[in-house]
Every structure is written in structure tokens, then in C-alpha cells.
Amino acid sequence: MERNKVIVAFEKFGRSFLLPVSVLPAAGILKGIGAAFTNPSTVKMYPFLGVKGLQIFMKLLVTLGDVAFKNLPLMFAVGVCVGLAKKEKGSAALSAVLGFLSFHYILNFLLKTTGTLVVADGLTKAQVSQLMAQSMQTKVLGIQTMDLNVFGGLIVGVVAYFVHKKAITIQLPQVIGFFSGPRLVPILIMPVMALVSLIVFIIWPSVQNVINIISVLILKSGYIGTFLYALAERFLLPFGLHHGLNWPIRTTELGGIFNVNGKTVYGTINAYMAAISTPNGPIDPNITRFSSGKFVYNMFGLPGAALAMYKTAKPKNKKIVGSLLLAAAGTSFLTGITEPLEFTFLFVAPMLYAVHAVLAGITLLSLHALGAAFLTPTGHGLINYIIYGVLQGTRTKWYLLPITGVVCFIVYYFVFKFMITKFDYKTPGREGDIEDIHISTKEEARSKYGLKTLKDEMREEKQEKMSTHDQALGLIECYGGRENIVTVDACITRLRIDVKDKAKVDKKRIKEEYHAMGVSENGMQVQSIYGAHAQTLKMEIIDILGIED
């Protein structure tokens, strides 16, 4: 059954954020390190850091970080357009840049024409800044324009995408045929953005008021809002919809409107970066309430759950289970990548995942209540905790993490151990042969429960164009041919084929040409993830090879 079009559009839009935000971790690290070592209190504590050359270098890092954070609207305009476009992405990027410039130049023209442009004549810099803030104006790439923040970039990105989508298919008359297709997009984007600018100029003040009201409501939701955010984010993750919740909170007014060192800042990431750049200034825990707790359950809670799974595994399976869970827990602790563990919960039993979501909500709520004030653009693990927490000094209250982390580890361990044994959940190592022990992938978990993302539907469309027989023939070839295949089997989601020589298996082709969601090895067995389709492929391959099931 076709998924709701609204959900598909929401997911597609959320996934388009990934391109522009992929720059933020690196930019954040540069700015975080630079801000930490140029902080006056840090320099006072460690005088050797005051060396002029070192301070110049650290200020350079801050400047490099600001390149991304001060140009987020442009990055989102280009990133969203390119992320949504399916072809001619170069033309899409150029159109987004041109559309962004056109948008703000025309807004500047409209402000001048209506006599509402703030003029700096006879005013101090502080007075101009205050007046521009009151008038909802700012400067973008040197253009004085309406202050739309990241929303301006999102508007341009979406409009540029639709113009690009329609224009690249238009074939002009032969005499001007040179301008057809991708060349037509930049030509059309300017008049279209002129119209969009006029509409935005008229309606945005009212829209901004609504956004401000929503922002205030989110801030006033307090601890309950923090808990519900964490709960919603975890429940959206299996559907691939969590990006649509996270990035508006992190980069727009929906995450809060904060006053940092006399300047109005929108979104949690922007506010935190401004706060750590302010010498010795306190950090409002409302800025970090959707982030601090993630460090705790990523670095301590999920490893506690991994230990519970290890302890409840059968003794004969503990060696292999331990190595798999140690790697997954270590990844979660160091980098904040939690999917191997979270999707294993989901694959084994949705109730385990639901309990994890509730515990995650309680963890975020607790850190908010304690006043923890550390945040990262993405990746809530040890590396970013040191950069954005420890190195920024005690004003982040970084010392709360190890204290609450121990408690979180213990709670996750005992809760998960109780549930696994009480309800006999088949976590890795509790049943089946040793070759069946594995950490579940997100594709595997989603396939088991019929949860489909846009990516899954695209993969299924490709599979439908290829018959099962042709797919089976291709897989036999990819596995090294008949002579290299020993046995063929399948579990719920994986096609399991034992081979004589693993070097002859073409994993790349299995994934790219024959649409496996993933390929892994276990001894001389090569496993391809196909969801429920794995059993069908198994029977087809057995029939072709003429071997017994």
C-alpha cells in the first residue's frame, strides 16, 4: 500500500537537510576548539596558551567555523535544492545560489521602495543593531534585507527545486533551443524569485509572529517539552522522519529565540556557538536541553543495554556476542552513532525500543533539570563531549555527564536485563545457531515490521523491474558461480550462502545491481539482507542449482 504522500514529502524534505548540515560537525569542531583556547579564563588558567602565534591560529579556527554558521541560510538554500533534485544537480545548485541572491536583493529593493529600510546615518553601531532587530532586518552577504534566518534559505531551496524540476524538461523553439533544459533554470529563477520575494515581503511579518508564539510555547513547555521531544525523536527514527524534527529545532526560531551577549540568536546550534564565543558568559540550559541528555544515554545508557544483552546470552555464544556488542557500544560511546544497538532492539522486540525511548526522554529531562549546558551540531559521543563540553570550561557543567552517566548505565542495564529475561526476548545469542548471531541493521529491522522509508520504496521499485529468477541467476554469479556455492539458506531477512572461496564473492554487485540492503560475512558464510524477499530468493536459487533445501 502506498504511503501517505504527506509523510513521504516530510521525509524527503527532512532528508534534504543532510547535505547542508553535513558541514556543521567539522565547522563546529573548528569553532569549538578555537573558542575554548581563546577564552580569557582558560588563558588565565594556562598562561602558555597566551602565546601570540597560538592565539592568532585559534582565532583563525573560530573564523573558519563562522564561515558555516554565519552563512547557514545560503547553505540550506543550496543544500535543500540539491538534496531534493534527482538530476542535473549542478544546475540546481547554481539556480539556488542565483535564487538566493535575487531573493535578498529584491527584498532590499522593496524595503527601500517602501521607506522601511533602516538607515545608519547619525546612529551608533549599537543603535543600528537594535533598530534593525526591532524592524526584523539583517545583513546577508552584505545585503540589508528582511531577517528570515534559515527559513529564508529553506524557502529559496524549495522554490528553486520546483523551478528546476519543471524547467529542465521544457524544450524551447529551435531558434532559441540553446537555452532549453538546465540552461533555462537560472533564467527562470530570477523572475520567479521576484514574485516570491514580494509575497514574502507582504506575509512574513504575520508568519514571524506565529513562529515567535510557537517558539515561546516550546520554551515554556519546560521539562515536559524536553521529555516529549526526546520521545518523539526516538519514535520517528525507525521511519527515517527524525531529521524533519531535529534540524528546524537546531537551526530556526522553532528551537528558541535567545539573547546572547546582547544579540538575538535563533535556533539551538546558533545560540550555543554564540554562547561559547562569549568570554565567561553563562550558558542558558534551555539552549542545550534537547542535546545534553543525548550524550548521557549514547555514552552510558546504550552500553548498559549492550551489557545486559551480553549477560543474558547463552554461555556458548558469549564470545561472539561480546565482540559484536562491544564494537556497537564502543561506537555509541565514542561517536554517538547508535543505530546498530537501537535497531537491534527494534528487530528483537518493539517493546525494548519503546522502553529505550522513554528512558531517553527521562535522561534528557534530568539533564535539563540539572542545568547541563553542552551541545553539539551532531554526534553525541565522547569526541564531541570533550570539544563542546570539557574544553569550554565549567560553565557547561560538563562534570554532570560522568555522574549521571553511571546512574544511566545502571538503570539501562537492570531494566533491559529484567525485560529480556522476564519476556524471553531473543536478543543476540539467546537462540539459534552461532552463525545466526548478528547486530541488526536499520534496513533489516524496518523490513521485519514493514516500516518503509523513501529509500526503501525506491529499492523495491528497482527490484520489481527485475524478475526473481533473473535476480537469483545474478546472485549465483556474484557468489562465484555454482562451483563456489556450498549451501543456501535464509532466516527472516537474510539470504545466507556458504561458499568455498569468499574472495570470489562480488559484494559490490550484490548491493548495487541486485539491490541487497547490506552484505556481511560470518566465517565462510556471506549474508545478503533482503528483508522478507530473502526466503523467496533462497527457494529460487535452490531450484536453479538443483540442490536440496
Side-chain angles (χ1 to χ4, degrees), residues 241-531:
L241 300 176
H242 55 301
H243 301 300
L245 173 67
N246 282 333
W247 290 107
I249 291 288
R250 295 175 185 178
T251 57
T252 75
E253 292 94 322
L254 294 176
I257 301 174
F258 305 95
N259 188 291
V260 182
N261 197 27
K263 294 182 179 180
T264 302
V265 189
Y266 308 110
T268 58
I269 289 179
N270 295 325
Y272 190 72
M273 291 302 166
I276 64 175
S277 297
T278 303
N280 304 320
I283 299 175
D284 183 356
N286 282 319
I287 295 173
T288 63
R289 65 176 175 146
F290 299 131
S291 181
S292 297
K294 290 185 181 181
F295 283 101
V296 178
Y297 71 72
N298 284 1
M299 294 172 63
F300 293 92
L302 290 173
L307 180 61
M309 289 192 284
Y310 170 76
K311 287 288 188 179
T312 54
K314 292 180 179 180
K316 66 176 183 178
N317 295 334
K318 282 192 173 182
K319 185 175 181 180
I320 187 169
V321 168
S323 62
L324 290 172
L325 291 175
L326 180 62
T331 300
S332 180
F333 181 83
L334 288 172
T335 67
I337 297 174
T338 61
E339 289 181 348
L341 288 174
E342 289 182 305
F343 280 98
T344 295
F345 303 159
L346 183 62
F347 184 82
V348 170
M351 187 53 66
L352 282 177
Y353 188 84
V355 168
H356 161 54
V358 172
L359 291 177
I362 294 172
T363 304
L364 258 69
L365 185 157
S366 301
L367 270 290
H368 183 195
L370 291 169
F374 36 88
L375 174 150
T376 174
T378 185
H380 295 77
L382 177 65
I383 297 170
N384 282 339
Y385 164 67
I386 291 173
I387 293 171
Y388 297 106
V390 178
L391 291 181
Q392 306 308 323
T394 55
R395 59 181 176 156
T396 65
K397 297 187 179 179
W398 58 264
Y399 47 81
L400 289 173
L401 184 133
I403 298 170
T404 56
V406 171
V407 176
C408 188
F409 180 91
I410 293 170
V411 169
Y412 264 81
Y413 171 73
F414 282 107
V415 169
F416 270 74
K417 187 177 180 183
F418 169 78
M419 291 196 66
I420 291 168
T421 54
K422 175 71 175 178
F423 300 104
D424 194 28
Y425 291 136
K426 303 305 180 184
T427 49
R430 284 179 59 78
E431 71 167 358
D433 298 327
I434 196 165
E435 62 268 15
D436 292 324
I437 299 171
H438 65 277
I439 298 295
S440 300
T441 65
K442 57 185 177 183
E443 292 85 4
E444 192 172 9
R446 285 168 177 159
S447 175
K448 180 179 179 181
Y449 299 108
L451 304 177
K452 295 180 181 180
T453 66
L454 193 63
K455 190 176 180 180
D456 295 328
E457 290 185 349
M458 291 170 64
R459 184 186 292 111
E460 286 183 0
E461 287 177 7
K462 290 181 180 178
Q463 287 180 351
E464 287 174 1
K465 293 177 182 177
M466 180 185 297
S467 70
T468 301
H469 182 75
D470 289 341
Q471 195 174 16
L473 285 173
L475 286 171
I476 290 171
E477 182 183 345
C478 289
Y479 273 90
R482 296 169 180 262
E483 64 280 359
N484 195 45
I485 295 175
V486 180
T487 61
V488 181
D489 199 356
C491 63
I492 298 175
T493 60
R494 296 186 179 217
L495 177 66
R496 301 170 180 271
I497 299 181
D498 289 304
V499 295
K500 297 176 183 177
D501 184 359
K502 289 191 295 185
K504 294 182 179 180
V505 179
D506 192 337
K507 297 179 186 176
K508 185 176 180 181
R509 283 189 66 199
I510 292 173
K511 288 191 289 185
E512 293 182 359
E513 293 185 33
Y514 298 100
H515 318 307
M517 302 174 196
V519 180
S520 61
E521 295 181 6
N522 190 345
M524 295 306 293
Q525 185 180 91
V526 181
Q527 305 171 358
S528 305
I529 303 171
Y530 281 100

Side-chain angles (χ1 to χ4, degrees), residues 146-165:
M146 293 181 70
D147 191 356
L148 305 174
N149 196 30
V150 171
F151 283 115
L154 295 178
I155 292 169
V156 172
V158 172
V159 172
Y161 159 67
F162 281 110
V163 172
H164 175 266
K165 181 181 178 181

